Amino acid sequence: RKAMDAIKKAAKREAAERMKSKTKLTKIRQKHETALSERSISALRPLSSLACLALGFPELSIVGQAGSAVSSSQQGMMSLGSSQLQNLHVGGPLTTLLLTQLNNSLSGMFSDKKPVAFHFRSNKPGATSDDREMERKENDMDLVNNPYESNESKEGKGGNGSSLFDSLDSNVPNDSLNMLETYLAGNVFASVHEHLAAAAEICGGNINKANYDQDREEETKQCICLLLGCVTALVRAKELTSSTRGRKCLASVLKQLSVGERDRQDTTKTNGIRVSFQYLIKPLSDLFDLAEEIVVGGESDDILFVMQGVGCLESILNCVICLDGTMMQSQDEEQRKQKILSIRKKVSNLCHRLLQRNWSKDTKYKKSDVGKLLSLYIEHSYMAIPSDARVAASSDISDLGHIGALATIIRDVLAELPNTNHCRGPVDEYPTCCLQSFGCYLSVVLSILPKELNLLFDSSLGKTEASYAVEKALLSLAQLVELLSVTFDLTKENPILVKRPYLLQQLKWGTRFMEVIVARVVPFLQKHFQEHEQGIIDIIRHLQGCTRQISSIITHGKREKDTNLAKETPRAKKVLESFIHKIKALMRKNRCLTALGGGNLKSKHIDGSIIEDDDADSESSDSSGSSSEKEGDAMESENEFGSDDE
């Protein structure tokens, strides 16, 4: 029996060793194959941008896969049955290669860098001037002898080689515009629309994904990222929004991207019409809805993939806003504002839903994803403060500016984190808020609070002397001060959150907030103190708590010898001193100096506890060599609003 057990153990060891050896050989072979593939691809001559015209070939189109032959890609997609939709294939080696080239070409056309497609080889180390001249001639020949250029495109050019849009102003480089015209003639962007529509069907769940293996799913995801990258490069191009010529070209591109129009004759009709904002907003809205369906559908756990789509949606929205600011507007101003507001609302709601989504457990939250989502949610939740002060005064505070979104994040999200186990999270309604992402949430809301305070006093509420407007402005001000106080209490009451990056954000943006208070709010309070004495005193008391916490952070930074906190300290001390003197003057002028508690400022820990004498003595001895630090300590020990004798 012992001999049999020994034989079995030996057999198991041999089998394990063979498996280990086999796995090792497999990894070595895969590594060798990958390296060989990379060397082979790098040895090939870089593709010309004109190779992207192959995307417009019927063999590579989505509609062509199903055997449909219609002039509009949108009609072709709608004509496909459920069985045909299930066999749609987005991606593939050739399509991915061409989309990568298209993405690089579009990015190169509308950037300060040299276009990748035209100058790839000349940027290689050791390239001589003769090499660059030879490459330039080859590229010129490629543009002249384009084997993929259609006859309609050649007829669309004049005898002197002028392009379709050359009769207009010439703010856009000719090479970029000529290349876009070539892509239009080859129905490249119509093919991009077909792939986007098919991707929306796949992500939206209309296709049975049981037939999709992991490789095909990754292939599809890679293709979608390239498609979104192409759209982003186009709508970000300032050259296509800042001039009449560029906007006419943009209108032709959007016609193919939004509906997949393949009729070249219809596409060029923009040359004879006036391209207005209303003419461009419709295809941009359709394109936005298509990209939104890709982002929302399927609820992917890959946050990087989702953020690619969010970036595309943001670029489309920025394009709409840019067009609104640069184009001559018609009389339908209210309708135009409503269209822009509706798109902004869609972006805000989408980001809000993504913040509430349950992502996979191994997802690492970063400023580039959660921070970006939070910024977009708050930024585009903006509700314009009415120019009529009476209307603004009758509005709810949460409907003014960004106050509603800020209150939601600070009160319903950040304030709930300490209620979880050791502040680890996640918060029930917002799984993206946890100890790992706390810094992202905190830095975003703190950076917006000073801007919101400025926005309030730039509005009709801050500029109107009427009592109803002043009262509403004071209520809004009290709300913002309270929100700032809540963010300070998070580190004050929870030792686990007392970390240098969080304290730095509080010190930095708390200082900016107090600078706005000193510059704009204190004069406002002085002007209306007699009519709203009690409300103003309550606001000042809340501000006292914030200034004391800022002082505690300064003391903590000095005690811990934190260089980052030390850099912000002089600016913070200056604004705190200014605030103390101005509030003291305000109270003395109105003969109510004793309405606020006075006393010497004491060195305290972050949690508000007073530093013991031994620690204070050692701290003062460490800083005794610097006269500037002595002045700062003297300022800290100064009576905050006056001595008891006063």
Side-chain angles (χ1 to χ4, degrees):
R1 188 178 300 174
K2 291 182 180 179
M4 291 296 295
D5 292 340
I7 292 173
K8 289 180 180 179
K9 289 181 180 179
K12 288 182 179 180
R13 284 197 299 269
E14 291 178 1
E17 290 176 358
R18 285 197 301 269
M19 182 60 67
K20 185 177 180 180
S21 177
K22 184 178 180 181
T23 303
K24 185 176 180 180
L25 290 174
T26 302
K27 290 182 178 179
I28 294 174
R29 184 175 63 183
Q30 290 177 350
K31 183 178 180 180
H32 175 73
E33 290 176 351
T34 302
L36 181 61
S37 176
E38 292 177 353
R39 288 198 301 269
S40 300
I41 292 175
S42 62
L44 295 175
R45 176 181 175 179
L47 284 176
S48 168
S49 295
L50 297 174
C52 300
L53 290 169
L55 285 169
F57 291 175
E59 293 79 5
L60 292 180
S61 66
I62 297 295
V63 177
Q65 292 181 27
S68 178
V70 292
S71 60
S72 172
S73 299
Q74 193 175 50
Q75 296 175 3
M77 293 297 297
M78 295 177 62
S79 65
L80 298 180
S82 58
S83 61
Q84 292 174 308
L85 285 173
Q86 291 180 0
N87 294 324
L88 287 180
H89 187 196
V90 177
L94 180 56
T95 302
T96 301
L97 178 64
L98 294 175
L99 285 175
T100 302
Q101 183 62 34
L102 178 62
N103 200 346
N104 294 337
S105 299
L106 293 175
S107 300
M109 288 180 196
F110 305 109
S111 67
D112 296 333
K113 299 179 181 179
K114 294 182 178 180
V116 176
F118 299 130
H119 301 280
F120 183 86
R121 284 176 291 143
S122 62
N123 290 333
K124 291 195 302 183
T128 63
S129 58
D130 294 336
D131 296 334
R132 297 188 180 93
E133 180 65 19
M134 180 64 69
E135 181 188 358
R136 185 188 65 79
K137 292 180 180 180
E138 291 177 357
N139 288 326
D140 291 343
M141 291 299 296
D142 286 342
L143 290 174
V144 175
N145 302 321
N146 176 12
Y148 303 114
E149 188 174 16
S150 63
N151 292 330
E152 290 179 347
S153 175
K154 295 178 181 178
E155 293 173 0
K157 298 181 180 181
N160 57 354
S162 61
S163 66
L164 174 66
F165 303 99
D166 280 349
S167 58
L168 308 172
D169 58 279
S170 57
N171 290 340
V172 183
N174 288 330
D175 289 343
S176 301
L177 197 56
N178 290 342
M179 185 58 68
L180 280 183
E181 182 189 359
T182 304
Y183 289 159
L184 286 167
N187 295 318
V188 172
F189 300 117
S191 180
V192 171
H193 166 79
E194 292 178 10
H195 285 80
L196 283 172
E201 294 289 339
I202 295 172
C203 295
N206 294 331
I207 294 179
N208 183 13
K209 298 181 182 178
N211 299 327
Y212 273 57
D213 55 16
Q214 185 175 1
D215 292 340
R216 184 174 177 183
E217 187 174 349
E218 290 297 326
E219 194 176 81
T220 302
K221 188 181 294 185
Q222 182 183 4
C223 181
I224 292 174
C225 290
L226 292 172
L227 291 167
L228 295 174
C230 293
V231 174
T232 302
L234 284 168
V235 296
R236 277 183 179 175
K238 295 181 180 179
E239 296 88 345
L240 298 182
T241 58
S242 59
S243 66
T244 304
R245 180 188 184 192
R247 288 191 290 270
K248 285 183 177 291
C249 184
L250 178 63
S252 298
V253 172
L254 289 176
K255 191 169 184 180
Q256 286 195 8
L257 276 178
S258 60
V259 298
E261 183 59 66
R262 286 182 172 269
D263 189 350
R264 174 63 177 160
Q265 185 176 358
D266 290 342
T267 304
T268 59
K269 285 183 179 179
T270 53
N271 193 33
I273 66 173
R274 178 177 176 270
V275 178
S276 62
F277 179 81
Q278 287 76 12
Y279 187 87
L280 291 173
I281 189 64
K282 178 61 169 63
L284 282 170
S285 299
D286 294 340
L287 188 60
F288 183 94
D289 293 338
L290 192 59
E292 184 183 21
E293 188 176 355
I294 294 174
V295 176
V296 176
E299 296 190 356
S300 172
D301 282 338
D302 188 350
I303 195 170
L304 296 178
F305 171 72
V306 172
M307 290 307 300
Q308 178 94 10
V310 172
C312 180
L313 294 175
E314 182 190 10
S315 298
I316 296 174
L317 173 58
N318 291 338
C319 180
V320 172
I321 296 175
C322 182
L323 289 171
D324 176 57
T326 56
M327 299 181 67
M328 296 292 293
Q329 304 300 338
S330 63
Q331 297 179 354
D332 300 331
E333 182 176 357
E334 187 63 29
Q335 183 181 5
R336 171 178 54 83
K337 288 183 178 179
Q338 288 300 323
K339 289 182 178 179
I340 298 177
L341 181 62
S342 65
I343 298 179
R344 295 187 64 166
K345 202 67 177 176
K346 287 181 180 179
V347 172
S348 178
N349 292 337
L350 171 63
C351 293
H352 193 205
R353 292 199 304 272
L354 293 176
L355 289 172
Q356 295 177 302
R357 176 180 291 185
N358 275 306
W359 301 93
S360 59
K361 293 183 179 180
D362 57 346
T363 300
K364 301 297 183 183
Y365 300 122
K366 302 176 183 177
K367 188 176 181 180
S368 58
D369 40 58
V370 169
K372 183 71 172 178
L373 291 175
L374 186 59
S375 297
L376 291 175
Y377 162 59
I378 297 178
E379 177 185 357
H380 297 298
S381 65
Y382 173 74
M383 302 291 290
I385 301 177
S387 56
D388 187 345
R390 191 175 295 275
V391 177
S394 62
S395 302
D396 190 78
I397 294 180
S398 60
D399 294 333
L400 300 177
H402 307 91
I403 295 180
L406 284 170
T408 299
I409 296 299
I410 294 177
R411 290 176 179 166
D412 299 342
V413 185
L414 287 175
E416 292 297 322
L417 185 62
N419 297 331
T420 61
N421 185 23
H422 298 290
C423 296
R424 294 174 183 171
V427 177
D428 291 338
E429 298 295 329
Y430 293 83
T432 55
C433 182
C434 57
L435 185 59
Q436 178 191 0
S437 61
F438 174 76
C440 300
Y441 272 83
L442 185 67
S443 62
V444 170
V445 295
L446 283 175
S447 64
I448 295 177
L449 282 172
K451 301 174 186 177
E452 191 66 17
L453 189 58
N454 263 321
L455 185 65
L456 174 63
F457 285 90
D458 285 335
S459 68
S460 58
L461 294 177
K463 297 178 180 178
T464 306
E465 301 294 331
S467 177
Y468 55 83
V470 173
E471 184 177 355
K472 196 68 172 184
L474 289 175
L475 290 174
S476 302
L477 172 61
Q479 180 93 306
L480 292 174
V481 173
E482 181 188 354
L483 293 177
L484 179 67
S485 179
V486 172
T487 61
F488 280 145
D489 289 342
L490 290 171
T491 53
K492 181 179 180 180
E493 299 173 356
N494 302 281
I496 195 173
L497 298 179
V498 180
K499 297 182 179 180
R500 293 182 179 182
Y502 306 157
L503 297 178
L504 177 61
Q505 294 297 323
Q506 289 181 330
L507 180 60
K508 177 181 178 181
W509 296 112
T511 301
R512 307 300 188 274
F513 189 90
M514 293 306 302
E515 286 175 347
V516 181
I517 292 289
V518 170
R520 308 191 66 176
V521 177
V522 173
F524 181 84
L525 299 180
Q526 173 65 54
K527 186 183 297 185
H528 303 287
F529 188 87
Q530 296 294 335
E531 297 83 7
H532 306 275
E533 178 178 340
Q534 188 57 47
I536 291 176
I537 289 177
D538 291 339
I539 291 174
I540 295 175
R541 282 174 177 166
H542 277 92
L543 285 171
Q544 269 188 284
C546 297
T547 57
R548 288 168 182 164
Q549 189 63 15
I550 293 176
S551 298
S552 299
I553 295 175
I554 293 174
T555 303
H556 176 83
K558 189 194 308 184
R559 187 170 63 254
E560 298 294 331
K561 297 181 174 56
D562 189 304
T563 56
N564 292 324
L565 291 176
K567 291 178 182 178
E568 294 289 335
T569 294
R571 185 172 181 174
K573 284 186 174 181
K574 181 179 179 181
V575 70
L576 290 181
E577 185 178 5
S578 179
F579 173 75
I580 290 172
H581 289 309
K582 287 196 173 187
I583 293 298
K584 185 176 178 180
L586 170 65
M587 292 303 187
R588 181 181 289 113
K589 182 177 181 180
N590 290 278
R591 297 183 178 181
C592 56
L593 193 61
T594 58
L596 297 174
N600 293 331
L601 287 174
K602 298 180 180 180
S603 298
K604 297 181 179 181
H605 294 287
I606 296 298
D607 60 1
S609 60
I610 300 176
I611 299 176
E612 298 179 0
D613 294 339
D614 294 340
D615 295 338
D617 293 340
S618 62
E619 179 184 339
S620 60
S621 63
D622 291 340
S623 59
S624 60
S626 173
S627 59
S628 61
E629 289 186 4
K630 284 182 180 179
E631 294 174 0
D633 294 339
M635 187 276 292
E636 288 180 358
S637 62
E638 181 184 0
N639 189 303
E640 191 169 4
F641 292 109
S643 65
D644 296 337
D645 295 338
E646 291 177 350

